[in-house]
Amino acid sequence: NAGVTQTPKFRVLKTGQSMTLLCAQDMNHEYMYWYRQDPGMGLRLIHYSVGEGTTAKGEVPDGYNVSRLKKQNFLLGLESAAPSQTSVYFCASSLTSSGLYGYTFGSGTRLTVV
Amino acid sequence: DAKTTQPTSMDCAEGRAANLPCNHSTISGNEYVYWYRQIHSQGPQYIIHGLKNNETNEMASLIITEDRKSSTLILPHATLRDTAVYYCIVRVLNFGNEKLTFGTGTRLTIIP
């Protein structure tokens, strides 16, 4: 049981390049989330999904797009990367909408935009 | 969601109980208290949560004061692997409230 798997683990992009971060969970969770964490700060919610085919904006959605075509996968896209998007990105999933049983997080993707 | 206040850092001797406090004086009646931890550069890990009553699981105990304005996370026998940043989060459990707000937490260092 892998839990939540994020790929890639590390990436360096040039300004203006695009990329997609993949999050996969094998727990049959309905709800999935993308967070970013900047040095010395807590996590901030980018986008989330309450089920297959649905997405919604979080706290800091600008510059990102997401898709949830399959229940087990949640993709985060950067269409034109900017240095301000240098961060560690965490994906999470939860069984219920309220996260009553806790969120399961992936190990993170460290992205540097130069 | 109510704001929480935690000490920036704490030390605890290995083998002793680590007691991490959290103040949430503006908590409302339908808000739960959650604890997560983040071990160096890894994703946050769920520890425990509670509403009114004290809770215990295989990882920790959560003590919530009767007025619910503060709580304490207890790691009964701290090990070096418990060195991490611990986050106390207060939130309402309802559909649509998907934002799990992490503050800066308490950096707990276990001393050999």
Side-chain angles (χ1 to χ4, degrees), chain A residues 22-114:
Chain A
L22 172 63
C23 176
Q25 53 93 5
D26 61 1
M27 298 170 286
N28 202 34
H29 284 177
E30 287 290 337
Y31 304 88
M32 297 187 74
Y33 314 83
W34 276 106
Y35 286 85
R36 62 176 287 174
Q37 185 174 34
D38 299 311
M41 297 180 66
L43 279 74
R44 292 183 292 170
L45 182 64
I46 304 171
H47 286 281
Y48 63 96
S49 168
V50 301
E52 182 178 319
T54 73
T55 63
K57 294 181 180 180
E59 187 183 356
V60 288
D62 294 342
Y64 305 95
N65 57 75
V66 287
S67 65
R68 182 99 180 269
L69 299 179
K70 293 183 179 180
K71 185 178 182 178
Q72 64 268 33
N73 296 334
F74 195 29
L75 279 63
L76 178 70
L78 287 74
E79 289 189 347
S80 179
S84 61
Q85 294 177 304
T86 293
S87 188
V88 180
Y89 291 85
F90 289 103
C91 176
S93 69
S94 65
L95 182 61
T96 65
S97 63
S98 59
L100 182 62
Y101 301 103
Y103 290 68
T104 302
F105 282 83
S107 57
T109 296
R110 189 172 298 273
L111 175 67
T112 302
V113 182
V114 297

Side-chain angles (χ1 to χ4, degrees), chain A residues 31 33 35 37 40-43 45 48 50 59 88 90 94 96-108 110, chain B residues 32 34 36 38 40-46 49 87 91-105 107:
Chain A
Y31 304 88
Y33 314 83
Y35 286 85
Q37 185 174 34
M41 297 180 66
L43 279 74
L45 182 64
Y48 63 96
V50 301
E59 187 183 356
V88 180
F90 289 103
S94 65
T96 65
S97 63
S98 59
L100 182 62
Y101 301 103
Y103 290 68
T104 302
F105 282 83
S107 57
R110 189 172 298 273
Chain B
Y32 283 71
Y34 279 83
Y36 282 77
Q38 189 171 22
H40 181 62
S41 299
Q42 297 179 21
Q45 178 189 23
Y46 165 81
H49 75 277
Y87 298 97
R91 69 188 291 260
V92 175
L93 296 186
N94 60 2
F95 181 77
N97 182 24
E98 308 303 337
K99 189 172 76 171
L100 191 65
T101 302
F102 287 76
T104 52
R107 183 172 297 278

